[in-house]
Amino acid sequence: MWEAFLEPLSYEFMQRSLIVAVLVGLICAVVGSYLMVQRLALLGDAISHSVLPGLAVAYMIGANIFIGAFIAGVLSTMAIAWIRSRSPIKEDAAMGIVFSACFALGITLITLIQRDNKIDLNHFLFGNILAVSRPEVWQTALISALVLVVVVLLYKELLFYTFDPLGAQAAGLPTNLLNFGLMLLIALTIVASMKSVGVILVLSLLITPGATAYLLVNRLHQVMILGAGIGIVSSISGMYLSYFFNLPSGPAIVLVVSGIFVLALLFSPTHGVFTQPQTKSNESMVWRELKGLIRRH
């Protein structure tokens, strides 16, 4: 048992991968808790897909791809805010427009790069945590520390703004700055997660651990703490599954965290499908309408 657990740790690349997996599982769960509570899961998806043009352009000009991805993420959030403020288009539609346009631009640029350079940039789409270098571990650690420090320092303000934006504005809090700061935290988290699970799968780590914790506990700080634990356990478990069964690491991590969510959905003491009896009030409306149609005929 212990031999199997310690075997991957004898390889330096696995040591680096596990460190990054733990850091990413932690910050994704913490930042994603705000997204889930605000019902802005699509925003995380939009930003994650919008970083692709930034990393492609950064590679083309020889700059740091993490910086390029972060700038692209910030610009995409500004574009969403600008479309929402200067037109009658709702925020979700603005997110869809920006997300699809940036994703298409990123794929196009990556294709052009690969035409002249035999280099694989597709790992940014699906993740390649086993290939993280020592500098990338330090970059991820610095980003994680920055994100966690900001969350701790602004916890009360972000909590107030998350649950009651109008009340926070009436209380004199800089709600626009808080909103923009939260977008920056999301962009930083996505940049830190690119090599782990890729921009396509990062939404799962942003939302699923917090959603799982939300089925088990009530308060936001409890959701963050439990979600962080779920994210870390899922990341480590996914890495070990990837090592022993020769699976792609990013999808393995996502499958583990999704499996834990399914267990919580089925067996949660307060919201579980099997632990809470189905009543007339929470019975599916579609099922009730179907039964009504069957009775009529």
Side-chain angles (χ1 to χ4, degrees):
M1 177 67 179
W2 278 109
E3 290 180 359
F5 179 78
L6 295 175
E7 179 185 340
L9 300 178
S10 62
Y11 299 99
E12 188 177 350
F13 76 92
M14 279 298 292
Q15 296 172 8
R16 295 195 300 267
S17 301
L18 285 168
I19 292 172
V20 171
V22 169
L23 292 172
V24 167
L26 172 63
I27 61 172
C28 280
V30 170
V31 174
S33 297
Y34 288 113
L35 279 179
M36 191 204 60
V37 171
Q38 287 187 305
R39 299 181 181 178
L40 290 176
L42 181 59
L43 179 60
D45 199 27
I47 298 176
S48 66
H49 286 73
S50 299
V51 304
L52 276 181
L55 69 88
V57 171
Y59 179 83
M60 292 171 68
I61 65 177
N64 187 302
I65 58 175
F66 287 95
I67 295 176
F70 175 70
I71 293 174
V74 172
L75 291 177
S76 69
T77 61
M78 295 174 65
I80 292 170
W82 184 77
I83 293 173
R84 184 184 61 178
S85 63
R86 297 299 299 271
S87 72
I89 295 175
K90 301 296 183 181
E91 187 174 35
D92 57 343
M95 291 178 196
I97 293 168
V98 173
F99 137 61
S100 56
C102 289
F103 189 61
L105 177 60
I107 293 295
T108 302
L109 291 175
I110 288 175
T111 304
L112 293 175
I113 292 173
Q114 291 176 327
R115 186 178 299 171
D116 300 323
N117 300 274
K118 300 301 180 181
I119 186 169
D120 184 18
L121 293 180
N122 290 328
H123 58 267
F124 289 107
L125 294 177
F126 307 106
N128 188 17
I129 194 172
L130 298 178
V132 292
S133 62
R134 191 180 297 271
E136 288 172 339
V137 173
W138 282 108
Q139 289 173 350
T140 305
L142 289 173
I143 292 173
S144 301
L146 177 61
V147 169
L148 293 175
V149 167
V150 172
V151 169
V152 170
L153 292 177
L154 298 179
Y155 175 76
K156 291 183 179 179
E157 290 80 3
L158 287 173
L159 177 66
F160 193 3
Y161 169 72
T162 298
F163 284 98
D164 190 3
L166 295 178
Q169 187 175 17
L173 290 178
T175 53
N176 290 325
L177 285 177
L178 287 173
N179 182 66
F180 187 67
L182 185 57
M183 300 307 106
L184 292 181
L185 291 179
I186 296 168
L188 282 171
T189 302
I190 289 169
V191 168
S193 308
M194 284 193 308
K195 287 296 288 287
S196 302
V197 291
V199 297
I200 291 180
L201 300 176
V202 69
L203 184 66
S204 177
L205 272 188
L206 272 173
I207 301 301
T208 311
T212 305
Y214 191 73
L215 293 173
L216 302 171
V217 294
N218 297 320
R219 298 183 180 276
L220 181 61
H221 70 277
Q222 295 174 335
V223 171
M224 284 184 174
I225 294 171
L226 182 57
I230 293 171
I232 291 171
V233 170
S234 300
S235 298
I236 295 175
S237 302
M239 288 301 304
Y240 272 85
L241 288 174
S242 173
Y243 177 84
F244 286 111
F245 297 99
N246 195 26
L247 301 173
S249 52
I253 293 172
V254 171
L255 286 175
V256 172
V257 73
S258 301
I260 295 174
F261 170 78
V262 171
L263 290 176
L265 180 64
L266 295 178
F267 301 106
S268 166
T270 53
H271 303 286
V273 174
F274 293 150
T275 57
Q276 296 298 313
Q278 188 83 353
T279 63
K280 201 76 173 179
S281 60
N282 62 21
E283 185 180 8
S284 169
M285 292 294 295
V286 175
W287 177 241
R288 274 194 277 172
E289 290 179 0
L290 281 174
K291 289 198 295 186
L293 287 174
I294 292 173
R295 290 194 189 99
R296 290 175 192 170
H297 296 284

